[in-house]
Amino acid sequence: EPEVTQTPSHQVTQMGQEVILRCVPISNHLYFYWYRQILGQKVEFLVSFYNNEISEKSEIFDDQFSVERPDGSNFTLKIRSTKLEDSAMYFCASSGPSDEYQETQYFGPGTRLLVL
Amino acid sequence: AQSVTQPDIHITVSEGASLELRCNYSYGATPYLFWYVQSPGQGLQLLLKYFSGDTLVQGIKGFEAEFKRSQSSFNLRKPSVHWSDAAEYFCAVVWTGNQFYFGTGTSLTVIP
């Protein structure tokens, strides 16, 4: 069964450093998402991406965040200058083998980011 | 504003007992509804979803959920819980666009 994969599984970084979290969505999906889950809290939407541009973003997704689909398979989340409060589990998701946007989102296993 | 509520932070049940996890949502429009399960150290696995039609939906691992429009609820049930069901369960809702709104989760402990 196709699945969303994410690398790395864990990332430790120093405050102020840039990190790039990588995701390989399900191959025929058209919509891509990033969510985060701070320890002990709910999963929060960050951004959705369709047709090579951001379609929705939350208040959390400020100027220090960016997303990119550099090639036909990868989908990345970049945090330019990490802060302590960016420590969280980051989930990638994908959906929509068609243009019907209300498809089910399939989640990857997550990348646990720790900012020291 | 849109919100999703899971009133039970933690539930403990005995193996073999029945289970019901509650989920309520706010906002007037009928959303699309999902239940996900997260085992320790794992990602979110889809259990079941409701888009339209029959309000009782069946999912994987013997789970089912019932959409009740009048109560704005989408409660998850299982008639007989197994020890392997111990996990965190998240209700998620989509209204418009494709942004998921998650509840805070319910942690399930299963006693042998």
Side-chain angles (χ1 to χ4, degrees):
Chain A
E1 184 177 331
E3 58 183 19
V4 177
T5 59
Q6 291 183 242
T7 55
S9 59
H10 294 78
Q11 174 90 47
V12 181
T13 189
Q14 295 287 330
M15 189 171 57
Q17 295 296 304
E18 174 184 285
V19 295
I20 297 177
L21 309 183
R22 291 182 168 80
C23 168
V24 179
I26 294 173
S27 61
N28 64 342
H29 282 182
L30 300 176
Y31 297 84
F32 314 111
Y33 314 86
W34 283 101
Y35 292 81
R36 78 171 185 191
Q37 183 184 28
I38 295 172
L39 190 63
Q41 299 184 23
K42 67 170 69 176
V43 178
E44 301 171 290
F45 170 79
L46 292 178
V47 65
S48 61
F49 191 86
Y50 170 71
N51 200 25
N52 285 318
E53 61 182 24
I54 291 173
S55 50
E56 289 180 79
K57 62 181 181 179
S58 72
E59 293 176 352
I60 302 168
F61 194 87
D62 61 22
D63 291 344
Q64 71 160 344
F65 291 93
S66 63
V67 290
E68 191 178 34
R69 189 155 163 82
D71 52 43
S73 60
N74 289 286
F75 179 53
T76 62
L77 174 70
K78 182 192 290 186
I79 309 175
R80 290 192 183 84
S81 179
T82 51
K83 302 191 279 271
L84 296 177
E85 53 265 38
D86 293 327
S87 296
M89 178 75 93
Y90 287 82
F91 291 106
C92 173
S94 70
S95 71
S98 70
D99 285 340
E100 183 180 342
Y101 60 85
Q102 298 285 15
E103 289 284 342
T104 303
Q105 295 182 23
Y106 294 88
F107 287 78
T111 293
R112 184 168 294 284
L113 176 65
L114 178 61
V115 182
L116 302 176
Chain B
Q2 301 99 324
S3 69
V4 181
T5 303
Q6 292 181 247
D8 305 304
I9 297 173
H10 187 256
I11 284 182
T12 300
V13 298
S14 298
E15 191 168 15
S18 64
L19 172 71
E20 182 169 24
L21 303 182
R22 295 182 289 166
C23 174
N24 294 93
Y25 62 90
S26 67
Y27 200 59
T30 299
Y32 293 171
L33 301 151
F34 304 80
W35 275 99
Y36 286 84
V37 60
Q38 183 182 31
S39 298
Q42 303 295 312
L44 297 164
Q45 181 183 22
L46 177 69
L47 284 176
L48 46 76
K49 60 189 176 184
Y50 172 79
F51 286 176
S52 64
D54 192 345
T55 55
L56 183 64
V57 292
Q58 302 297 319
I60 62 171
K61 304 184 180 185
F63 285 92
E64 66 177 27
E66 185 172 13
F67 169 58
K68 292 186 177 179
R69 185 189 308 271
S70 62
Q71 299 177 17
S72 298
S73 69
F74 188 57
N75 294 348
L76 181 72
R77 301 193 293 250
K78 186 169 184 178
S80 178
V81 171
H82 188 262
W83 64 266
S84 60
D85 293 324
E88 188 90 13
Y89 291 80
F90 292 93
C91 179
V93 173
V94 175
W95 277 278
T96 59
N98 41 28
Q99 177 179 160
F100 270 38
Y101 291 83
F102 281 86
T104 50
T106 297
S107 176
L108 175 66
T109 297
V110 180
I111 299 173

